[in-house]
Each structure stands twice: as structure tokens, then as C-alpha cells.
Amino acid sequence: MKTIRTALITAIAIVAIGAASTAAVAQNELRIGRTTDVLSLDAGAMADTLSEWAVIDSIYSGLVTFIEGSWKVGPDLAESWEVSDDGLAITFKLREGVQFHKGYGEVTAEDVKFSFERIIDPTLEAAYAVKWEALDYVEVVDKYTARIHLKQLYAPLFAATLAYSAGQIVSKKAVEEMGREEFSRNPIGSGPYEFVEWVPNDHVTLKRFDGYWGDRPSVDKVTFVPITDVSTVEAALKAGELDIGRINLINVKQHEANSDLNVVIVPGTRYYWLPLNHSRPPFDNILLRKAFRSALDVDEILIAMFDGRAERSDSNFLPSVLGYWGAPLFQQDIPAAKALLAEAGYPDGFEMEIISISDNIYVSGSEVMQAQLAEAGIKAKIIVVESAAATDLSLAGKYDSRIANWTAVSDPHIYVTYYKTGEKWNYPHWSNSEFDDAVNAGGVETNQKARADYYTKAQQIWDAEIAGVPLTHGINAMASRQGVDLGTLYPGGELAIWTMSKN
């Protein structure tokens, strides 16, 4: 079992049955469900953590990673590292002899330099280039030594950049040989599994990399299958066509009574929220944002989404994260919502659109929200789309609100940096210079108390401006077939694929 890797995006999300999955699962193969299909298999150009990370993190290795079962950072490709006195240079000593997949040779400092510097190249248009905003350049000291030079201090470098997709090492030779587009469909990494096949909207297949430098996984083959219908997932689990999949919370007792299945329920660590698009009417008007919020009963929404098992959150931060500040929990107040509408010049309410991912929990939550808004006179139309389309509409500002979710992390900076003015992932399309200043100051502050204060201030500004409405950190419910060992689970129930086994 490999002891120091992580899978940050839960592979338990949802399982799919493609045309090729009608037969029973092979003895030494795991079929693992996911919410949606991948968009790219290039770690440097990853676009959607929800759909891609479980696959990406099985294929690639980084200099560092999260130690399984926690969010603590440990070594991966790097045996050791040293930080300069001024904090602006970090020198990494690589393991010698680590091999890339499919004969692409040894991992060297040249690959480290190429992997990180390409992300800040604007022609790549990397979705997570913001995580390398402090990078100046990477120096190749020798074949097995790479030194990262920063333009400024960047406190979240290890926990929020190096241990995630932006810190994964790609083969320079493979990218240059194939070109960016071909590489995104035929990835070359040095992780415990190597790429075999991607059939869009059907499956992604990986096989165990026998040349892996660490402890080899026990499972020969892993297939990830996308689908959004949880009922199909449950039927496939019962039929033995899938090994692992998300289950509907209302059916937990039924599945617990099935001797062929094991059920696991753990508190979630994702962040579910309602972004409000400030870039166009109606939510460019703060009075209408307040009216929207006053019309909502969040607890009722969570009953629809999670059968009442998920706790309401008062922040996008997990309570354990540095700088956590819990906003006062508002309660539904329809008279107040109507008064705010009248004050804003909309006594008869207004029309808006809610985009919803086709997953049943998003549709159910959106329908409850729609009914609540109607009580105040706000007419909401629900538009159901696939996950990738929801992301595209959000980034383009072509929506009013939606139920969105992001990956929670162990460092506070990533919780707030995406809301800065002009950032790619700023779903609210919101701008506040005081907020930007607080986030920027937190990113370079090394004193933990002062750093926490900056992030608390940022959360308070975010709440006062109603950039969005926090909902919950969710809950994860999954089932696995008897004989499947889930290995080492992370705090939110995320799977480390390479630690799993099957009898």
C-alpha cells in the first residue's frame, strides 16, 4: 500500500453504467463511480476538480502530497526540501530512478521546471494558474534538484498548490512530443496507475503501473464510470456490475439490510453554496440579494438534498480551518423579503433563473428553493444542465444563481482567493478592493494569528456584500460490494484509489 498519496475529490460521488458494463465486474478490477465525465487528463490544465481529480491523482505524482487519512503534507517525488531564510526559495531533492509511464524515462528537475512554469504561461489558460500566482521561475540546480523561486511570500504553497493538481509533475518529453491537446487525452505521469483508455461519456480505464517507485497497488485495473442518476447506481451495485457508488440517503437502511453491500456514511468536507451573479440584474442590486436570502429556508433545502442528515454551515470555511468566522445564521422571513423587494422598486417581485446540475440532489434542492422564492413573489425558472455546462455558464456570468460546490481544503487562502476581482473562478463576478487587500495580505503573512485575522475580515466582507449564501459541507453516503476494502479514507470519506483492494 502506498502510504503518502491522496485523492481529494470523492470517487464515491455517483456511479454510471455504460454500454460496456453489462457483465459482472472482473475479480481484480474496481469499477468506481463518478459524478461526470472528465474534461481533460492534463494535470496542468485540469478544469473541474469534481470530475477529474480522482483520475488525475491516480495517474500523476507531485513533489509532495497529503498523507492518507489527513490533510497533513508529506513527501512524494521529493525526498526532502529546504526553505531559504527569506522564504522565497524552496529547494527540493528528488528521488532518483522514478520512472514515467510508457517508457518516457526518468523524472528529473527539468520535468519539475516544465510542469510548473507551463501553468503560469498564459497560452495554456490553466484553470488553476492562480495557485501559482507567486511563482517567479524554477531553477534546475542539477538532475535531481529543483529550486522554486517566488516573487513574494506565499503561505499556502504546500497545502494549497503543491499537493493539488497544480503541483503534479508531467513528462516534459511527452507533452512536447504529443502537443498539449493530444497529451490531454493520453496523459503520462509517474503515479501508481497508468492511463489505458478514455471513451467520452462512458468510462476512463487505468491499469496498475508495475514500474511505480512506491508500494504497488493490489488492484490491477480501475475503471471510472460517469452517471448522474443515483437510482441507476443503486441498481448496478445490487446487480454486482459496480464495486463502489454513491447511494441515496433515503435508501440507507435498505442498503444496510443487503448482505451484499457495505454502507459508509461520513460528514462531508465539500462546500455547497448559492453564488449570486453580481454582474447583471437582478443581483447587481444588494436589496434584491437581501430579498433572495430572506426568502430562503436553508434547513428545508438541506432536507431535500441530504435527507436532513447534513448540517447547515455558516461559512465556506470548515470550522477547523485557520481564520474560520461563522456568519450569523439568518432565518426565512417572507415579510422582510417582500419589504426589500418593494424598497428596491420590485413590489411584484422579479424573474430569475436557477441553473441546476442534473444530479438529483441539486434538482431537489433547486425545486425547494424555487417554491420558497415564490412565496416572496420571486419567480425562479430552473434550467437543468450537465456539470460541465453549469461550470461554463457560471464562469461566463450567464446565470443568476445555482447550487454550486467546491472542494474544501486545509489552507484558508484557497477558500477566498477565487473571489478576488477578475479571478477566473469568481462565480459571483464580484469585486471589492477591501476584500482583495485582506486576501492578498493573508497570502504573504507568516504570523498565524495575523493571517487568521485577514481571512476573518475577508469572510465578513463577503457576507455583508452577499457574494453568496452558504448551505452546508454536505455528507457522503456510499456503498461497496462485499469483498471490497476501501483502504484509507480521508476526512471527508474521499477514496485513495491505490490503497484499495478486492477479494
Side-chain angles (χ1 to χ4, degrees), residues 223-246:
T223 300
F224 300 88
V225 197
I227 198 171
T228 56
D229 181 18
V230 71
S231 297
T232 303
V233 174
E234 294 174 325
L237 283 166
K238 291 177 183 178
E241 295 171 342
L242 297 165
D243 289 302
I244 306 157
R246 195 190 90 177

Side-chain angles (χ1 to χ4, degrees), residues 196-210:
V196 175
E197 180 183 49
W198 173 20
V199 178
N201 300 313
D202 190 81
H203 68 273
V204 175
T205 299
L206 310 179
K207 70 176 182 179
R208 181 174 61 192
F209 177 42
D210 290 335

Side-chain angles (χ1 to χ4, degrees), residues 430-474:
W430 171 61
S431 177
N432 183 290
S433 60
E434 189 179 5
F435 175 90
D436 295 347
D437 290 344
V439 175
N440 290 335
V444 300
E445 180 59 63
T446 56
N447 179 281
Q448 293 299 321
K449 174 61 171 64
R451 192 168 181 238
D453 289 343
Y454 284 124
Y455 294 125
T456 295
K457 180 179 180 181
Q459 291 170 81
Q460 291 169 339
I461 297 169
W462 190 95
D463 181 68
E465 289 290 306
I466 317 180
V469 179
L471 295 178
T472 182
H473 290 292

Side-chain angles (χ1 to χ4, degrees), residues 67-327:
I67 300 171
E68 286 118 339
S70 76
W71 301 133
K72 295 180 180 178
V73 174
D76 198 5
L77 292 176
E79 290 183 320
S80 61
W81 54 87
E82 294 181 1
V83 181
S84 64
D85 291 341
D86 63 5
L88 296 178
I90 306 95
T91 304
F92 292 88
K93 181 65 176 177
L94 302 183
R95 302 177 190 275
E96 297 185 19
V98 175
Q99 297 296 310
F100 281 115
H101 304 154
K102 301 183 180 180
Y104 273 91
E106 191 176 10
V107 179
T108 70
E110 287 287 352
D111 297 296
V112 175
K113 177 180 176 66
F114 177 80
S115 297
F116 297 163
E117 290 186 353
R118 72 190 286 256
I119 291 178
I120 61 173
D121 181 348
T123 63
L124 183 65
E125 297 182 339
Y128 294 105
V130 63
K131 293 188 177 185
W132 279 113
E133 61 186 349
L135 179 63
D136 189 3
Y137 66 97
V138 179
E139 174 189 357
V140 176
V141 179
D142 58 43
K143 185 175 182 179
Y144 301 111
T145 308
R147 182 174 295 131
I148 293 174
H149 291 270
L150 303 177
K151 294 179 289 188
Q152 61 187 34
L153 289 173
Y154 192 63
L157 178 66
F158 279 79
T161 301
L162 289 173
Y164 281 84
S165 59
Q168 305 283 20
I169 306 303
V170 303
S171 164
K172 176 183 178 181
K173 178 181 178 182
V175 175
E176 291 181 340
E177 182 177 289
M178 296 183 197
R180 187 176 72 187
E181 291 301 319
E182 180 65 18
F183 183 83
S184 72
R185 297 186 293 271
N186 294 278
I188 300 295
S190 59
Y193 285 94
E194 63 179 300
F195 174 76
V196 175
E197 180 183 49
W198 173 20
V199 178
N201 300 313
D202 190 81
H203 68 273
V204 175
T205 299
L206 310 179
K207 70 176 182 179
R208 181 174 61 192
F209 177 42
D210 290 335
Y212 181 59
W213 66 268
D215 294 336
R216 288 170 50 192
S218 66
V219 176
D220 293 335
K221 180 181 177 183
V222 180
T223 300
F224 300 88
V225 197
I227 198 171
T228 56
D229 181 18
V230 71
S231 297
T232 303
V233 174
E234 294 174 325
L237 283 166
K238 291 177 183 178
E241 295 171 342
L242 297 165
D243 289 302
I244 306 157
R246 195 190 90 177
I247 58 175
N248 196 318
L249 287 163
I250 64 174
N251 294 331
V252 164
K253 290 184 179 179
Q254 170 192 331
H255 295 304
E256 287 177 334
N258 186 339
S259 60
D260 292 330
L261 299 177
N262 291 315
V263 174
V264 177
I265 301 176
V266 294
T269 56
R270 298 191 68 80
Y271 167 49
Y272 294 81
W273 63 302
L274 304 174
L276 299 179
N277 184 4
H278 290 222
S279 69
R280 70 180 194 183
F283 295 128
D284 57 345
N285 185 326
I286 191 170
L287 292 175
L288 298 184
R289 298 198 297 271
K290 288 181 177 180
F292 174 91
R293 187 172 65 177
S294 295
L296 299 179
D297 182 337
V298 172
D299 291 323
E300 189 178 42
I301 294 171
L302 297 183
I303 289 172
M305 292 178 67
F306 299 102
D307 194 36
R309 295 172 184 257
E311 294 186 6
R312 180 179 178 181
S313 63
D314 51 12
S315 171
N316 57 341
F317 280 43
L318 289 167
S320 59
V321 172
L322 179 74
Y324 163 80
W325 173 78

